[in-house]
Amino acid sequence: MIGFRGRKSLGSRLENYAATVEQILPAIGVDPAQTRLNMEQGFGWSFRRGSATIEVYVSQQDDEGYLQVLSPILHLPTNALLPVYRRLLEYNLQMTNAALGVYLDVVYVFSQRPLEGLDSAEANYIVSQVAHYADELDNQLQNEFGGRLYGQI
């Protein structure tokens, strides 16, 4: 696979799944070579979908490989958090193959699954779903509750 030769190998299995991700990115309008992240371990890509940043990782944790797709979308507002958390839970119930979570003061759309059995159709679906939800929900949540879109000063 072009671009990964010469890097520390995490095993051919991890590289095969990284190749799968690189094959599906052009289908959603993303150039893998331009969006590839420089990582010590594993493989990663970062790109924009509308106003949202999407990060895709193929990595190994505790001898297991994972596909992780995440998008930091919104810094939480500073007050009235209960209605925000309630809305996040309501959206979670409606989402397929993705979820909303909070880490520190940032709301994320994310999906994570073991690499075993992952094919290009499922990888494409997961990346596309997270990108769709992130681009749709960041503005909706900001309009409803305030807060600052992730990446904006």
Side-chain angles (χ1 to χ4, degrees), residues 65-105:
Y66 290 93
L67 172 69
Q68 183 181 52
V69 184
L70 57 93
S71 178
I73 60 172
L74 182 76
H75 291 274
L76 288 169
T78 56
N79 56 10
L81 290 177
L82 188 58
V84 176
Y85 291 144
R86 180 182 176 98
R87 178 70 75 230
L88 295 178
L89 287 172
E90 290 169 349
Y91 281 136
N92 268 343
L93 189 60
Q94 301 170 27
M95 297 170 75
T96 303
N97 236 9
L100 290 161
V102 174
Y103 180 71
L104 300 175
D105 76 330

Side-chain angles (χ1 to χ4, degrees), residues 16-25 27-28 45 47 54-58 66-69 97 111 113-131:
N16 288 340
Y17 287 111
T20 298
V21 171
E22 290 227 328
Q23 290 170 1
I24 62 105
L25 289 177
I28 59 172
W45 303 264
F47 59 92
I54 313 301
E55 299 171 2
V56 180
Y57 299 99
V58 172
Y66 290 93
L67 172 69
Q68 183 181 52
V69 184
N97 236 9
S111 181
R113 83 171 295 290
L115 290 172
E116 193 65 39
L118 179 70
D119 62 21
S120 60
E122 186 179 6
N124 183 38
Y125 183 74
I126 292 169
V127 172
S128 296
Q129 284 293 94
V130 169

